[in-house]
Amino acid sequence: MFNRIHHIAIICTDYERSKYFYVNQLGFEVLAEVYREERKSYKLDLAVNGIYQLELFSFENPPARPSRPEAAGLRHLAFEVDDVQKTVAELNAKGIVTEPIRIDEFTGRKFAFFADPDGLPLELYER
């Protein structure tokens, strides 16, 4: 019935700050950027490793969304990486704080969490 996840939409509180984070710090490719005057809203389409996956939206005064501890709803967004330790070091060098690297007790793979500018939990998961 379903082929794959088409995209994930993220609403940010400071569009320029979030755009800088996802594009300049995480390195996602901008596919399209549109300003919707009627909504006073930006929509930024981003590709992760050449595949369209993220939409970044801005809206005036979006309500805060609880994310910790373990609030109901989407828990986090995880990105597969080849080497968690190397990626953590690259993020840290850019001033992005990461949590300590952990080991998934079921798969034995390394993972680590960090957050976007609005506190959205993001995960690195080693393939």
Side-chain angles (χ1 to χ4, degrees):
M1 189 162 80
F2 300 104
N3 293 329
R4 62 184 178 90
I5 293 173
H6 185 267
H7 69 270
I8 297 160
I10 298 170
I11 297 173
C12 61
T13 59
D14 182 326
Y15 179 74
E16 291 301 326
R17 179 181 69 175
S18 291
K19 178 181 174 183
Y20 180 85
F21 176 80
Y22 283 99
V23 174
N24 297 97
Q25 292 188 291
L26 299 188
F28 297 161
E29 174 190 359
V30 175
L31 298 176
E33 182 176 33
V34 179
Y35 182 72
R36 301 171 307 171
E37 180 65 41
E38 71 282 359
R39 295 183 180 188
K40 295 183 175 77
S41 168
Y42 280 97
K43 178 182 181 285
L44 182 67
D45 295 336
L46 299 170
V48 180
N49 198 24
I51 301 169
Y52 168 60
Q53 291 185 324
L54 294 178
E55 289 179 341
L56 184 65
F57 287 96
S58 67
F59 292 106
E60 287 187 313
N61 305 311
R65 179 188 317 258
S67 65
R68 294 181 186 232
E70 308 304 344
L74 182 65
R75 183 174 181 188
H76 62 265
L77 175 58
F79 298 102
E80 179 184 289
V81 298
D82 291 328
D83 185 330
V84 167
Q85 191 165 349
K86 179 181 176 190
T87 306
V88 162
E90 290 174 11
L91 293 176
N92 294 163
K94 294 176 182 182
I96 299 170
V97 176
T98 56
E99 293 181 2
I101 295 172
R102 296 185 268 170
I103 304 294
D104 184 310
E105 63 184 290
F106 299 108
T107 66
R109 297 178 191 259
K110 294 178 186 175
F111 68 99
F113 283 94
F114 64 110
D116 84 349
D118 287 305
L120 175 68
L122 302 174
E123 180 183 9
L124 304 171
Y125 196 88
E126 196 164 278
R127 106 176 135 138

